[in-house]
């Protein structure tokens, strides 16, 4: 007879609490100001805790929101004699506007939907059985705090070091900040490092949520598709076949409802990521081809562009894989012989097929587009088109300058 401890372990394994699973990720989101903090009124020092919480939020969001305004000031009031200074500043301005947008808007979506997402998974589990969690998800969720801090601290430190090392080349970007004197240097490095830390921490947190939920739903849709193939391959009684198909259809709809909640959390980040990709790449190409960038500016913009492009490619590939897997039951259902099943089973199959043939299932960005294979092709074509246009523009500009020089010398 199993011991009481063994029975408790079995119950915990069967009934996974997703609030508990994602709690470390939720904690780091609260600590960095990406998630609201609920303070119970019955707790001790309620007023003090609430005041300290708002002070922390004000400091974090001042550091984050002030960056785009700083670069806007540079764009409007810079009196540099270098005609190429505006290129790196525009690229950095686009990046910080998009990153600030992600933080501010995601604060409300994470605070509103994170708990609802965990509750929906718990409810789905209660209705349709245990959701399997692999070792990768368990490790990432358990060590989410340290992963986010580690990944955010290293780039922030490198950013501060690069800023100090290339301070002469990047003087236009840092204004009105400067490295003149010890105090100004400390203040500038503190501001730059803290700004980059919070922005990176928020984006790493959202990326971890994106990858974890992708892994979770990919496993569930794969298992559901296998169950559908197995059940249709078996020789079942009409009543059992009706029940099996309808149960799988309802479970699929429940998974989609959970997925839509997770998409509500991540969609702001996806929108900003894709919106800033093309401008940053174009500014970098223009600066390279026209020879307008200093060594420090070239290095900074190359790192920024590679960072953005790599994440765009990663999210596009993940979105395409998920969309393919989410539509995989359609291939199985299209092979069903409707003449060999009952009318109720035909009705369930029709509802299932209608949903799969309906709006594209996948990570959608404000209903503008969905991350699928078409997105990968469209993005590649857009980047190649802009690259060719920039190259032609550079060649025409160079030939025009050469002609002017020849006329002048003549």
């Amino acid at each position: 007879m199993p011991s009481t401890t063994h029975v408790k372990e079995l119950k915990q394994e069967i009934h996974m609490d997703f609030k508990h699973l994602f709690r470390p990720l939720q904690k780091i989101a609260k600590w960095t100001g990406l998630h609201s903090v609920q303070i119970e009124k019955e707790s001790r020092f309620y007023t003090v805790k609430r005041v300290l919480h708002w002070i922390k939020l004000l400091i974090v969001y001042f550091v984050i929101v002030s960056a785009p305004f700083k670069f806007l000031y540079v764009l409007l009031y810079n009196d540099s004699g270098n005609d190429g200074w505006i290129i790196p500043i525009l690229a950095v301005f686009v990046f910080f506007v998009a990153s600030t947008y992600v933080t501010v808007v995601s604060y409300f979506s994470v605070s509103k939907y994170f708990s609802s997402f965990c509750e929906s998974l718990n409810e789905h589990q209660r209705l349709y059985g245990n959701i399997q969690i692999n070792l990768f998800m368990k490790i990432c969720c358990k060590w989410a705090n340290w992963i986010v801090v580690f990944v955010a601290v290293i780039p922030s430190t490198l950013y501060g070091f690069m800023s100090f090392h290339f301070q002469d080349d990047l003087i236009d970007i840092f204004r009105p900040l400067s490295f003149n004197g010890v105090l100004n240097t400390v203040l500038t490095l503190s501001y730059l490092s803290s700004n980059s830390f919070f922005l990176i921490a928020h984006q790493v947190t959202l990326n971890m949520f994106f990858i974890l939920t992708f892994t979770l739903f990919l496993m569930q849709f794969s298992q559901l598709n296998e169950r559908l193939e197995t059940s249709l391959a078996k020789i079942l009684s009409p009543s059992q076949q009706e029940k099996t198909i309808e149960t799988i259809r309802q479970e699929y709809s429940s998974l989609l409802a959970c997925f839509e909640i997770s998409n509500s959390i991540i969609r702001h980040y996806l929108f900003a990521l894709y919106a800033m990709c093309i401008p940053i790449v174009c500014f970098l190409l223009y600066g390279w081809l026209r020879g307008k960038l200093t060594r420090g500016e070239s290095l900074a913009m190359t790192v920024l562009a590679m960072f953005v492009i790599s994440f765009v490619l990663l999210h596009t590939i993940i979105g395409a894989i998920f969309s393919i897997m989410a539509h995989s039951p359609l291939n199985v259902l299209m092979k069903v012989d409707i003449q060999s099943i009952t009318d109720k089973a035909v009705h369930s199959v029709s509802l299932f097929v209608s949903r799969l043939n309906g709006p594209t299932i996948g990570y959608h960005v404000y209903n503008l587009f969905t991350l699928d294979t078409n997105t990968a092709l469209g993005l590649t074509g857009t980047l190649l088109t802009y690259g060719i246009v920039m190259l032609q523009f550079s060649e025409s500009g160079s030939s025009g300058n050469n002609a002017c020089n020849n006329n002048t010398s003549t």
Side-chain angles (χ1 to χ4, degrees), residues 284-301:
L284 174 63
L285 289 175
Y286 180 82
W288 270 355
L289 296 174
R290 302 290 289 178
K292 298 294 185 180
L293 302 178
T294 63
R295 185 179 61 174
E297 291 170 347
S298 298
L299 178 60
M301 287 192 63

Side-chain angles (χ1 to χ4, degrees), residues 167-223:
Q167 56 182 280
D168 295 331
D169 292 340
L170 302 175
I171 188 171
D172 293 329
I173 295 179
F174 292 142
R175 293 181 181 180
L177 302 174
S178 69
F179 290 93
N180 298 326
V182 178
L183 180 60
N184 287 334
T185 301
V186 172
L187 292 176
T188 301
L189 289 177
S190 299
Y191 174 80
L192 295 175
S193 299
S194 59
N195 177 272
S196 60
F197 171 80
F198 286 117
L199 289 178
I200 294 172
H202 293 166
Q203 295 188 27
V204 171
T205 303
L206 293 171
N207 271 289
M208 284 192 65
F209 179 80
F210 177 81
I211 294 174
L212 289 172
T213 53
F214 161 74
T215 305
L216 173 67
F217 288 115
L218 189 69
M219 291 175 57
Q220 297 308 307
F221 281 124
S222 177
Q223 293 173 5

Side-chain angles (χ1 to χ4, degrees), residues 10 136-137 154 319:
L10 287 176
F136 169 76
M137 289 191 63
I154 292 180

Side-chain angles (χ1 to χ4, degrees), residues 30-302:
K30 290 180 177 180
W31 184 77
T32 56
L34 190 61
H35 193 300
S36 61
V37 177
Q38 300 296 330
I39 303 174
E40 298 180 359
K41 292 184 177 181
E42 293 78 13
S43 62
R44 296 180 61 185
F45 308 110
Y46 167 77
T47 304
V48 176
K49 291 180 181 179
R50 191 169 182 81
V51 170
L52 291 176
H53 169 64
W54 281 108
I55 291 175
K56 183 193 76 173
L57 281 183
L58 286 174
I59 294 173
V60 170
Y61 280 86
F62 171 78
V63 171
I64 292 174
V65 176
S66 61
F69 289 99
K70 184 185 81 68
F71 290 109
L72 183 62
Y73 167 82
V74 175
L75 287 170
L76 295 176
Y77 299 103
N78 194 294
D79 55 353
S80 175
N82 181 12
D83 59 349
W85 65 270
I86 195 172
I87 300 170
I89 295 178
L90 280 174
V92 177
F93 176 71
V94 170
F95 173 78
F96 278 97
V97 167
S99 300
T100 302
Y101 173 82
V102 170
T103 292
V104 174
V105 182
S106 295
Y107 171 82
F108 296 100
S109 63
V110 171
S111 302
K112 181 178 180 181
Y113 293 111
F114 194 89
S115 297
S116 301
F117 171 69
C118 295
E119 291 172 0
S120 67
L121 288 177
N122 288 336
E123 179 65 15
H124 175 86
Q125 189 173 230
R126 186 186 67 82
L127 293 173
Y128 300 103
N130 183 40
I131 295 178
Q132 298 294 329
I133 304 298
N134 60 17
L135 183 62
F136 169 76
M137 289 191 63
K138 290 180 180 179
I139 293 175
C140 288
C141 289
K142 182 178 180 180
W143 300 101
N145 294 339
W146 294 104
I147 293 174
V148 172
V149 171
F150 178 78
V151 175
V153 166
I154 292 180
S156 301
T157 305
L158 292 176
Y159 176 56
F161 174 78
M162 281 180 53
S163 301
F164 182 77
H165 183 72
F166 294 102
Q167 56 182 280
D168 295 331
D169 292 340
L170 302 175
I171 188 171
D172 293 329
I173 295 179
F174 292 142
R175 293 181 181 180
L177 302 174
S178 69
F179 290 93
N180 298 326
V182 178
L183 180 60
N184 287 334
T185 301
V186 172
L187 292 176
T188 301
L189 289 177
S190 299
Y191 174 80
L192 295 175
S193 299
S194 59
N195 177 272
S196 60
F197 171 80
F198 286 117
L199 289 178
I200 294 172
H202 293 166
Q203 295 188 27
V204 171
T205 303
L206 293 171
N207 271 289
M208 284 192 65
F209 179 80
F210 177 81
I211 294 174
L212 289 172
T213 53
F214 161 74
T215 305
L216 173 67
F217 288 115
L218 189 69
M219 291 175 57
Q220 297 308 307
F221 281 124
S222 177
Q223 293 173 5
L224 188 144
N225 192 54
E226 291 178 1
R227 284 172 47 205
L228 182 63
E229 287 182 339
T230 303
S231 62
L232 292 176
K234 290 181 179 179
I235 301 177
L236 302 174
S237 64
S239 59
Q240 287 179 325
Q241 198 172 48
E242 292 171 7
K243 183 178 179 181
T244 301
I245 295 175
E246 180 62 19
T247 300
I248 293 177
R249 186 191 70 82
Q250 291 180 3
E251 184 176 351
Y252 184 88
S253 299
S254 177
L255 278 175
L256 282 186
C258 297
F259 168 74
E260 288 300 326
I261 298 176
S262 69
N263 195 94
S264 298
I265 297 175
I266 203 69
R267 60 181 177 176
H268 309 295
Y269 169 72
L270 294 176
F271 171 76
L273 181 64
Y274 283 85
M276 68 178 170
C277 177
I278 293 177
I280 290 177
V281 173
C282 287
F283 289 139
L284 174 63
L285 289 175
Y286 180 82
W288 270 355
L289 296 174
R290 302 290 289 178
K292 298 294 185 180
L293 302 178
T294 63
R295 185 179 61 174
E297 291 170 347
S298 298
L299 178 60
M301 287 192 63
T302 302

